[in-house]
Amino acid sequence: MNETYNPAEIEAKWQERWEREQVFRAPDRPDGEKFYVLEMFPYPSGDLHMGHVRNYSIGDVMSRFYRMNGRQVLHPMGFDSFGLPAENAAVKDGVPPQIRTPKNIERVRAQMKALGFDYDWSREIATHTPEYYRWNQWFFLRMWERGIVYRRQAAVNWCPKDLTVLANEQVFDGRCWRCDTLVEQKSIPEWAFRITRYAQSLLDDLALLKEWPDRITTMQEHWIGRSEGCELDFSLVNAAGQPTGQTVRVFTTRPDTTFGCTFVVLAPEHPLVNQITTPEQRADVIAFVARMKDMTREERLQEGGVKEGVPTGAYAINPFTGEKIPVWLANFVLAGYGAGAVMSVPAHDQRDYEFARKYGLPIRVVIQPVGELPADQAWTGPGTMVASGEFTGLSNDEGKFRMIDAAEQGGFGKRSIQWHLRDWGFSRQRYWGTPIPVIHCEGCGPVPVPDDQLPVLLPNITAFKSVGDAPLGRVPEFVNAPCPKCGQPARREVETMDTFVDSAWYYARFISPRDDKHPFDVEAARQWLPIDLYIGGPEHAVMHLLYFRFWHKVMREMGLVFTPEPAAKLLTQGMVVAPAYRSPSSGKWWSREELKDGRDPETGEEVIVTIEKMSKSKRNGVDPLAMLQRYGADTLRLFCLFATPPEKDVEWSEHGVEGAHRFIQRVWRLAYRNLELARGQPFTPVDHASLTGAARDFNARLHQAIDRVTTCIAGQQQYNTAIAACMELTNEAYALFPESRGRETITGPERALLVNYFDVVTRLLAPMAPHLCEEIWAALGRDALVCVAPWPKADPAALVKSEVTYAVQVNGKLRGEIRVSADASRERIEQAALAEPAALRHREGKEIKRVIVVPNRLVNIVVG
């Protein structure tokens, strides 16, 4: 052990040994208590960023901690290497993704190893390899057989920049999840997963996810969106009241308000629009429909947005009143939700109220609240039914059920459940993805590729950029294939699968990634699953985290997995944020280094400073590799873990990094200075009752640190508090064994305490700063690696406090402190506080009004 801490030398040495000895390799199947920890794997489209470092450091702490606690740990890593991120990066660089992606993977893997993460690299997967995506195709075929996969014509979200379809979950505020471009609506044929078949199960089983953050399960509950009500049929008539033979079906959760329905609204995309629009209204309707096509879903549904509509000239019959009411189109009704038609009750729905007021449509009250109706707004609460025929006088809750019964008996309605969740359209008009194993034959229709012809290989092409079509359609040698049924010339499907297919089941492939006969070993899955701790960002709440729950349920039906959910516990880490600098006039982002005296270097304006997520676009990122070279991996890991609790955002601070580095150096110096006293000495239990004074206090602090760090990691995942406990213990060690103290004076129980400090603090810090701890552990003369050493256990006797320290305040200001017996009475605590010299001085000549004792914390003397 050298006097100077040299992270580059130390870290490389231990990383090489870990890899050489395959320390982190998991067994094929656990034969004891297991712990499967998994961080969401990265898109290898660029280098690691600080968000990755934080995410993976959290998983590494948990993996190392549970290994030291005797668990058999599975901690794998791979690469989400298919899809838009990798393809867009390839387009930008002008390098085909099949060349660029493997090189990026090599670079990112090397960066991960340099950070000391304890992955079992023997299980590495990459989703762009045929060995992986053949099983995507195999799952597609099995789901097609079960009716879960189907082909449909659908109005889809189209990204004009990425030139591909997006699932509803991939659109945020009307913009593409990857490039932030405004999304357009487009009608095309697509392949879809029938995820709605599992809507009830996905909703019900949220109750099982007791160790998932509430905000994630709440977001999924709202996204799945179960609504109970009924479907009602409104017969259509012309202006003269003559039946047309057509019917509009609406879904409503408020059948009790049907007597107040004064008009029906269709989505502009509703298939009946062209059929029912009268000649007088056709021009206006055509113009309105065209304008709606240019609006995003979010723009049309915006809370507080403008309500727009146009009459079709057609009419419908209210099935309960027999009244003829007009049929309108409106921007706030979408074809993809419900039946694409709603009955409008303006007296009891605020949106309908605003629309009716704007266009002069009737407003009829049919639910009377207790007291007065609100002025200038709809009443949406409970009440008594009025002007509702035979149902008048009923409570509206009872009226709901009675009116549904009447609708079913009358043959014009039925009970129904509707879902906000929509089937997952997953086919994409891009190159870099899993080919869909389907051949289109003129005679046989869509035909599945036989299993023995899997995988359908993605061809290597250089003209891979999408120009609004599917690039594979421009590759004749791929497209042209015989029909598996009749043998006649046919065409392969040229669209590819969404990247979220790749990540929907990857956690299971890690269980047996080299299995070439099955997606994974079913019996090994029985033993390893569910994931014990899954770590990733909250932005995946209604995308990946919903899709992989769905896929798990399908696999359970297939007999491949045996748990209802894929992950028992979810930890959603916060972002790494930093100051970002933007020009007020141009909106251009600048890095801090580019500024001139805090001003825009081009215009001289004072820039706007905001705290933003680190990103290339905002030019506020920090290169982890530069920090790694300057401070070492352990410092970078400690900073990410210590700065804030894992679920909170971390604001980047190089001062914070330097602080973490100073702490590591303090531990190093203390170890180097006392090495001769500690080398070769084992941990020696000390009889706590026999100790006195500072030695007794130190032993208590030592075991309190063990207890606190264990609780913070295992129970709370509060790594910042765990590190703080190690820092406090190190400060205590410096106080008891200062540099000025002669080593020859450290003997007997004190020497044992010093040895125990190094033994304990090295093991406590090992999950957070593994390289530092391996080096000190080896210097202490230990044979085995610290990463497989048993976790220290606290001595219960040392955890019993014999004395308690109280802060002493005078009128709320800290003036001193006292130490009293842990079982001291309130009177004894007050007496000691009143006698404390500094407090005595600050209350001299003043009347004591009261003395407030906060148990085990403080005494506040109030004087006047």
Side-chain angles (χ1 to χ4, degrees):
M1 183 177 182
N2 297 323
E3 182 176 2
T4 304
Y5 170 62
N6 183 343
E9 177 183 310
I10 292 166
E11 291 170 359
K13 177 176 77 172
W14 293 107
Q15 289 163 13
E16 187 277 330
R17 182 172 171 185
W18 293 333
E19 187 165 1
R20 172 165 40 87
E21 297 183 10
Q22 297 189 7
V23 176
F24 308 127
R25 185 158 186 163
D28 291 339
R29 300 182 186 181
D31 56 12
E33 195 173 7
K34 62 93 177 178
F35 186 73
Y36 182 2
V37 56
L38 182 64
E39 304 95 66
M40 295 179 186
F41 61 170
Y43 304 120
S45 52
D47 290 326
L48 291 184
H49 54 66
M50 289 305 304
H52 289 124
V53 175
R54 189 185 189 205
N55 187 8
Y56 304 149
S57 294
I58 292 169
D60 201 62
V61 168
M62 301 306 293
S63 172
R64 290 175 179 274
F65 172 80
Y66 278 106
R67 185 178 293 106
M68 294 176 73
N69 276 276
R71 300 276 191 98
Q72 293 191 320
V73 174
L74 174 57
H75 189 204
M77 179 48 68
F79 300 95
D80 198 2
S81 46
F82 253 159
L84 274 177
E87 184 172 335
N88 286 347
V91 170
K92 182 179 178 181
D93 293 350
V95 179
Q98 62 269 32
I99 295 173
R100 187 185 187 280
T101 301
K103 290 181 177 178
N104 260 39
I105 287 175
E106 287 182 18
R107 189 166 66 253
V108 173
R109 186 194 304 115
Q111 293 166 3
M112 289 178 169
K113 289 184 176 182
L115 284 159
F117 299 138
D118 71 342
Y119 297 125
D120 179 355
W121 287 107
S122 71
R123 295 173 183 263
E124 178 186 334
I125 59 176
T127 61
H128 77 283
T129 61
E131 293 78 15
Y132 185 87
Y133 70 71
R134 70 171 288 187
W135 299 110
N136 286 349
Q137 296 172 343
W138 184 88
F139 276 118
F140 173 98
L141 296 175
R142 302 294 81 78
M143 291 187 192
W144 198 5
E145 291 167 356
R146 288 166 168 76
I148 301 169
V149 164
Y150 68 103
R151 187 78 164 161
R152 68 181 182 184
Q153 182 77 23
V156 299
N157 305 300
W158 178 262
C159 177
K161 182 176 180 181
D162 286 336
L163 298 172
T164 192
V165 169
L166 303 172
N168 290 339
E169 295 85 354
Q170 295 166 342
V171 179
F172 293 96
D173 297 326
R175 295 179 178 274
C176 173
W177 70 288
R178 285 300 303 174
C179 64
D180 206 37
T181 301
L182 276 174
V183 169
E184 300 172 354
Q185 298 297 300
K186 193 173 183 179
S187 180
I188 63 171
E190 66 169 359
W191 291 95
F193 291 121
R194 211 178 298 275
I195 190 174
T196 50
R197 181 184 291 182
Y198 298 84
Q200 191 65 58
S201 175
L202 288 166
L203 183 64
D204 291 345
D205 288 352
L206 289 173
L208 303 176
L209 303 178
K210 299 185 185 304
E211 293 191 274
W212 281 42
D214 288 343
R215 63 173 173 164
I216 301 298
T217 54
T218 299
M219 288 172 71
Q220 288 210 3
E221 180 182 358
H222 291 163
W223 188 263
I224 296 166
R226 187 180 195 270
S227 297
E228 296 184 22
C230 72
E231 293 177 350
L232 295 174
D233 291 334
F234 285 68
S235 299
L236 296 180
V237 297
N238 59 24
Q242 298 169 328
T244 66
Q246 297 160 313
T247 299
V248 169
R249 175 162 292 181
V250 306
F251 171 79
T252 179
T253 60
R254 295 293 307 271
D256 52 307
T257 65
T258 309
F259 279 82
C261 173
T262 57
F263 57 102
V264 170
V265 177
L266 305 185
E269 306 85 2
H270 196 287
L272 283 177
V273 170
N274 285 335
Q275 300 174 39
I276 67 173
T277 300
T278 63
E280 297 82 4
Q281 294 298 127
R282 187 164 300 281
D284 290 344
V285 166
I286 290 173
F288 182 77
V289 170
R291 193 155 53 82
M292 291 303 104
K293 286 182 179 179
D294 293 332
M295 294 180 68
T296 67
R297 176 185 285 103
E298 284 68 25
E299 287 173 328
R300 287 170 58 179
L301 296 178
Q302 184 178 2
E303 189 74 27
V306 176
K307 310 297 185 294
E308 295 184 82
V310 62
T312 63
Y315 292 84
I317 299 298
N318 184 319
F320 276 100
T321 67
E323 180 183 10
K324 185 178 75 171
I325 56 178
V327 178
W328 283 64
L329 306 186
N331 60 345
F332 54 79
V333 181
L334 301 178
Y337 290 89
V342 299
M343 66 174 211
S344 292
V345 185
H348 304 293
D349 181 279
Q350 187 61 29
R351 180 192 59 190
D352 295 345
Y353 179 85
E354 294 170 10
F355 190 86
R357 286 289 299 271
K358 180 174 181 177
Y359 292 105
L361 294 165
I363 300 174
R364 183 179 303 143
V365 174
V366 293
I367 304 295
Q368 180 66 45
V370 176
E372 296 295 321
L373 285 163
D376 297 324
Q377 67 182 66
W379 171 250
T380 59
T384 301
M385 297 179 67
V386 297
S388 297
E390 64 185 283
F391 307 101
T392 297
L394 297 177
S395 71
N396 72 296
D397 284 337
E398 183 182 354
K400 287 179 185 179
F401 298 106
R402 295 275 293 274
M403 291 185 71
I404 293 173
D405 290 342
E408 289 184 330
Q409 293 167 9
F412 55 82
K414 64 178 181 178
R415 284 174 172 78
S416 179
I417 295 172
Q418 297 282 326
W419 302 90
H420 177 271
L421 181 68
R422 289 294 175 264
D423 284 341
W424 171 15
F426 66 90
S427 52
R428 300 291 179 260
Q429 298 69 38
R430 298 295 294 241
Y431 164 62
W432 195 238
T434 299
I436 295 174
V438 172
I439 293 176
H440 296 278
C441 174
E442 285 190 9
C444 304
V447 179
V449 172
D451 283 7
D452 61 7
Q453 293 180 25
L454 299 182
V456 176
L457 293 172
L458 184 71
N460 287 325
I461 61 175
T462 55
F464 59 87
K465 186 175 180 180
S466 177
V467 289
D469 61 342
L472 290 180
R474 304 194 295 267
V475 185
E477 58 271 29
F478 173 81
V479 173
N480 297 320
C483 172
K485 272 189 177 181
C486 68
Q488 293 299 309
R491 293 175 58 84
R492 290 191 188 276
E493 175 62 65
V494 295
E495 294 181 342
T496 54
M497 297 188 197
D498 182 10
T499 185
F500 284 99
V501 171
D502 305 318
S503 57
W505 69 281
Y506 76 111
Y507 63 95
R509 182 64 178 172
F510 277 133
I511 291 168
S512 49
R514 307 295 167 247
D515 192 332
D516 61 357
K517 299 292 191 297
H518 313 91
F520 50 86
D521 183 326
V522 172
E523 286 308 310
R526 187 192 298 273
Q527 293 172 274
W528 278 117
L529 292 177
I531 304 165
D532 294 282
L533 178 62
Y534 196 36
I535 305 167
E539 66 273 13
H540 298 289
V542 294
M543 290 194 295
H544 164 65
L545 289 172
L546 185 62
Y547 297 150
F548 103 132
R549 291 186 61 223
F550 154 68
W551 206 280
H552 190 86
K553 294 183 184 305
V554 175
M555 292 196 298
R556 190 183 187 195
E557 283 185 353
M558 295 169 66
L560 300 177
V561 297
F562 305 94
T563 61
E565 291 290 332
K569 184 168 186 172
L570 174 69
L571 191 158
T572 53
Q573 88 285 351
M575 300 180 294
V576 180
V577 299
Y581 309 93
R582 181 169 57 86
S583 168
S585 58
S586 67
K588 187 174 181 180
W589 297 94
W590 298 98
S591 69
R592 185 177 63 180
E593 294 73 22
E594 291 171 322
L595 301 179
K596 292 183 179 179
D597 299 322
R599 295 181 176 275
D600 185 322
E602 291 180 349
T603 65
E605 297 173 291
E606 188 171 338
V607 295
I608 298 170
V609 183
T610 54
I611 302 299
E612 303 284 348
K613 177 183 177 181
M614 281 188 176
S615 67
K616 292 178 182 178
S617 62
K618 293 184 172 61
R619 304 179 65 80
N620 67 335
V622 173
D623 182 5
L625 297 183
M627 294 293 106
L628 186 66
Q629 292 165 5
R630 184 172 176 183
Y631 295 105
D634 285 347
T635 293
L636 201 54
R637 291 163 59 116
L638 272 182
F639 167 75
C640 289
L641 295 165
F642 181 63
T644 188
E647 69 277 5
K648 304 292 185 183
D649 290 348
V650 169
E651 185 170 350
W652 175 259
S653 162
E654 196 152 340
H655 293 299
V657 178
E658 291 168 353
H661 194 61
R662 284 194 299 271
F663 169 60
I664 285 177
Q665 290 177 316
R666 277 173 61 78
V667 176
W668 181 270
R669 283 197 307 272
L670 191 62
Y672 179 80
R673 196 171 66 245
N674 295 284
L675 195 57
E676 293 306 316
L677 289 173
R679 181 185 286 125
Q681 300 298 312
F683 179 91
T684 304
V686 178
D687 179 13
H688 186 69
S690 68
L691 299 174
T692 60
R696 183 182 178 89
D697 289 345
F698 183 80
N699 192 56
R701 296 293 177 89
L702 180 77
H703 288 277
Q704 288 164 12
I706 295 172
D707 184 63
R708 187 176 170 193
V709 173
T710 303
T711 301
C712 288
I713 294 178
Q716 305 164 347
Q717 283 85 59
Q718 299 297 297
Y719 313 111
N720 56 327
T721 310
I723 294 168
C726 294
M727 290 177 170
E728 292 165 10
L729 180 60
T730 299
N731 290 340
E732 295 288 338
Y734 265 92
L736 187 59
F737 309 108
E739 294 185 30
S740 59
R741 182 175 178 180
R743 302 302 97 182
E744 71 281 357
T745 68
I746 304 174
T747 59
E750 283 195 336
R751 182 175 181 181
L753 289 176
L754 179 65
V755 171
N756 289 355
Y757 160 77
F758 286 120
D759 185 279
V760 167
V761 82
T762 305
R763 285 188 280 166
L764 294 183
L765 277 173
M768 281 84 81
H771 311 87
L772 168 77
C773 295
E774 292 287 9
E775 188 71 14
I776 295 176
W777 190 254
L780 291 172
R782 307 295 197 265
D783 293 329
L785 294 162
V786 72
C787 64
V788 294
W791 189 254
K793 306 296 182 185
D795 177 5
L799 295 176
V800 177
K801 291 185 177 181
S802 59
E803 288 187 324
V804 178
T805 300
Y806 279 80
V808 180
Q809 299 175 344
V810 177
N811 286 347
K813 292 186 178 180
L814 180 65
R815 298 305 183 188
E817 65 177 37
I818 57 171
R819 300 184 74 178
V820 297
S821 172
D823 58 359
S825 66
R826 179 186 178 92
E827 290 73 23
R828 175 71 188 90
I829 296 168
E830 288 187 13
Q831 289 171 5
L834 291 170
E836 200 281 325
L840 191 62
R841 189 170 60 252
H842 281 89
R843 68 180 179 83
E844 188 176 358
K846 298 176 182 176
E847 180 186 355
I848 298 175
K849 300 289 188 182
R850 58 191 297 215
V851 179
I852 302 169
V853 178
V854 180
N856 299 316
R857 287 185 54 202
L858 63 86
V859 180
N860 184 21
I861 304 167
V862 181
V863 299

